[in-house]
Amino acid sequence: MEKYIVKGGTPLKGEVKISGAKNAALGILAAAVMTDQVVTVENVPLVRDSDVIIKALQSVGASIRQKEKNVFEIDGSTIKSVNIRYDQVKKIRASYYLIGALLGKYKEAKVALPGGCDIGSRPIDMHIKGFTALGADVDIMAGGIVWARARKLTGAHIYFDMVSVGATINLMMAACMAEGETILENAAKEPHIVDVANFLNAMGAKIKGAGTDVIRIKGVKKLHSVTYSIIPDQIEAGTFMAAAAITGGDITVCDVIPKHLESISAKLIEMGCEVIEGDDSVRVISKGRLHSTNIKTLPYPGFPTDMQPQFAAALSVAEGTSIVTEGVFDSRFRYVDELVRMGARGNLEGNTFYIEGVEKLSGAELTAPDLRAGAALVLAALAADGFSEIEDIHLIQRGYEDFDGKLRSLGADIVIITNEHDAQKFKLQVG
Ligand code: UD1
């Protein structure tokens, strides 16, 4: 099994190119089959989640060809079935986008959701309510298969009870091929909502207002071919910005949209870093020990929940007490025990992590609990004294393209190992 081995203590320095946004890619790759013409998607991040969506689409007959490293040609005209099996999508939550895309185009989708009976604890009730409002019958069948079908979809006025990225994108996809106008109220405003809307509009959809909390969609009969480049990944960029802060380094994230990073930059400034925005880059320079601060995660433009673990890791070595509150998900602190084993101090009370900053963390044997928490543990290991080994890195690879390679290019001592011999070799090399 692959693990990362890390020797901490080196301040990371240099420039790093940010890949395309994973969460935009998942929506865009699914939406790309909504036309029978060939669509070219550029800047696709080569991460495991993209791979899962691509393989799921291929499993129902879509022809998908990797034209260049991050460029894929997608032909939805060869799709023969609307039935996506559990083993195709069990690893990712975003398999729900296949429902919106297939229902919009074929007026039917049968898609297995990750975890089957876990649906209750990871609700998609607002997606289902939305599809139903558009006129679909939606049943959850044995084994967690969602079966949505309609004779026709008709535009509707939909008010989301909670701000949901997934429900907003899914309803946008289905509604753009419904008859008449759909209005989505209390819509999510994340950069990838705007990116998926721009992509659909470039294919001939009529979506207005994406990026605000009211989105208006006029249904069209057909979508057409397009070549489209995905926006840069806000969370990958934020993770490298946090890496500069936690390691006492100086990192420029390149090919980014600085506006998408404002809530992250603002926190880093509060934590004592210097942040310099360029046209398509942001440089984070550490100015010594970090200061404590408080963070509450919120839907965009608030501080992203997907950056919460990485910042908690950085605050664990800041001077003073920090309070980190999770405001989007019920529970997102499965990394705390691992951080504590590295010497971090703090208390978890409900959805709030009270952190008492320590001078230094120490290397440890760690397990990535999920994608972003896994990345946070890598950052902690990069700042810690000594060696750390991190297991379950396939979870980190779900969302970071060549994470270890990019970190090495900034001076990090990190490699992937598969056995004890590799570990010993690395230890001898880096001393
Ligand atoms: C997306 C992102 C994920 C990010 C999250 C919040 C993708 C593929 N994933 O996830 O990385 O952490 O947004 O920015 O883009 N909820 C319901 N009912 C629903 C839908 C959601 O109660 O039908 C709840 C969720 O449990 C959660 C909150 O709404 O508490 C927000 O979730 P949502 O924005 O839908 O997250 P995802 O789209 O799953």
Side-chain angles (χ1 to χ4, degrees), residues 262 264-276 291:
E262 275 174 357
I264 297 166
S265 298
K267 279 296 153 195
L268 287 168
I269 293 167
E270 279 176 35
M271 289 159 71
C273 296
E274 187 181 350
V275 177
I276 304 169
H291 310 163

Side-chain angles (χ1 to χ4, degrees), residues 351-364:
N351 263 344
T352 304
F353 183 19
Y354 297 88
I355 305 169
E356 204 59 60
V358 294
E359 287 252 359
K360 265 277 171 203
L361 298 173
S362 350

